[in-house]
Amino acid sequence: MKVIISFFFFIMTINTFAQDNILSSDEKNDGWKLLFNGSDMNQWRNFKKQDINPKWQVKEGSMILTGKGGGDIMTKDQYENFDFRMEWKISEGGNSGIFILADEKGKKIYSHAPEIQILDNEKHSDRKKPNHRSGSLYDMITSPAESHKKAGEWNQVRIKLNKGQLQVWQNEVQTVDILIGSDKWNELVGKSKFKSWKGFAKTKKGHLGLQDHNDKVSFKNLKIKELK
C-alpha cells in the first residue's frame, strides 16, 4: 500500500510540474510571453553582468536562489508598459523582492527600482514595519493582511504598469494602485527611505528584477504581456 501511495504522489508531482511554465493557446494569441520555460534561465542575467551566478539554479520546474551570494538578477529585456505575472515561495524567515523599472546606472539594482516585497511575514524581522510585508510596495504602501500566506506556500503576484499607473495583486487581492510621479506618489516617497535617492523611479522603461537577500527563494510561471 505504501508503494502505491508513494507512486500516486510521484505522478501527482510530475503532473503539477508539467502544468507550470507554459502558455495556453489563448495566452499566446493574446501576446503573452514566458520569462522562464521551466528548464533554463536564458532570459535572465545578474545585475551589471552578462551571465548568471550558479547559485541561481533550475530545480523541479522552478528558478531557485539556493543560497547567499547568488546576486540580484534581472531580465535581459526592458519593459515600459506591461502585465507581469508570476509565483514565488519564500523559505522560513526569508526575505526577497521583485523590482520593476530597474536600470544599471546606480550601485545596486534597487537604487532606482521600486520593489514589491517578498517576505516571511511571521518570522522575518522586517515584518515589524507594515509596508515591508509581502505584496507591499516596499517602504511606501502596505499590503492587506488577506493577501498574505505562510512561508513555504506559493504566492501569486500580478504587477501591471500602464502609462505610469502601477497596480499590484497578491493572491488575487489588490495591494497597490498608484500613479508613479503623482502628488500621492511623491508624498509617499518623501516619507520613505527613498526620499534622498537620486533617480529613484524616474526610469520610464527598465528591467524586471529578482532579489538576493541571502535567503532561499523560488519562482515559477513568470510571464509577461507588453501593453500598447
Side-chain angles (χ1 to χ4, degrees), residues 54-94:
K55 289 189 177 179
W56 284 95
Q57 298 179 12
V58 176
K59 294 184 178 181
E60 298 180 335
S62 298
M63 292 168 42
I64 301 177
L65 174 62
T66 58
K68 178 181 178 181
D72 302 320
I73 61 172
M74 55 195 285
T75 55
K76 292 180 178 178
D77 291 335
Q78 298 186 54
Y79 304 95
E80 183 173 1
N81 300 308
F82 58 84
D83 193 344
F84 173 52
R85 306 186 189 196
M86 52 93 77
E87 295 180 53
W88 61 264
K89 180 173 65 175
I90 192 68
S91 56
E92 186 174 318

Side-chain angles (χ1 to χ4, degrees), residues 121-164:
N121 297 311
E122 296 182 350
K123 295 190 176 180
H124 195 281
S125 59
D126 230 12
R127 73 188 186 280
K128 296 175 183 178
K129 192 166 184 180
N131 60 15
H132 286 193
R133 295 170 189 162
S134 70
S136 298
L137 177 59
Y138 183 77
D139 213 48
M140 292 175 64
I141 296 178
T142 301
S143 62
E146 57 266 30
S147 72
H148 301 163
K149 287 187 178 183
K150 294 183 178 181
E153 296 184 18
W154 284 106
N155 294 259
Q156 297 177 336
V157 169
R158 178 186 181 190
I159 302 173
K160 184 178 180 182
L161 181 65
N162 194 15
K163 298 178 181 178

Side-chain angles (χ1 to χ4, degrees), residues 99-111:
F99 298 106
I100 63 168
L101 300 177
D103 61 29
E104 294 178 283
K105 298 176 182 177
K107 291 183 178 180
K108 302 290 185 179
I109 194 171
Y110 52 76
S111 296

Side-chain angles (χ1 to χ4, degrees), residues 5-17:
I5 293 174
S6 297
F7 180 74
F8 172 77
F9 279 107
F10 173 75
I11 294 298
M12 290 293 290
T13 300
I14 293 298
N15 287 338
T16 298
F17 294 156

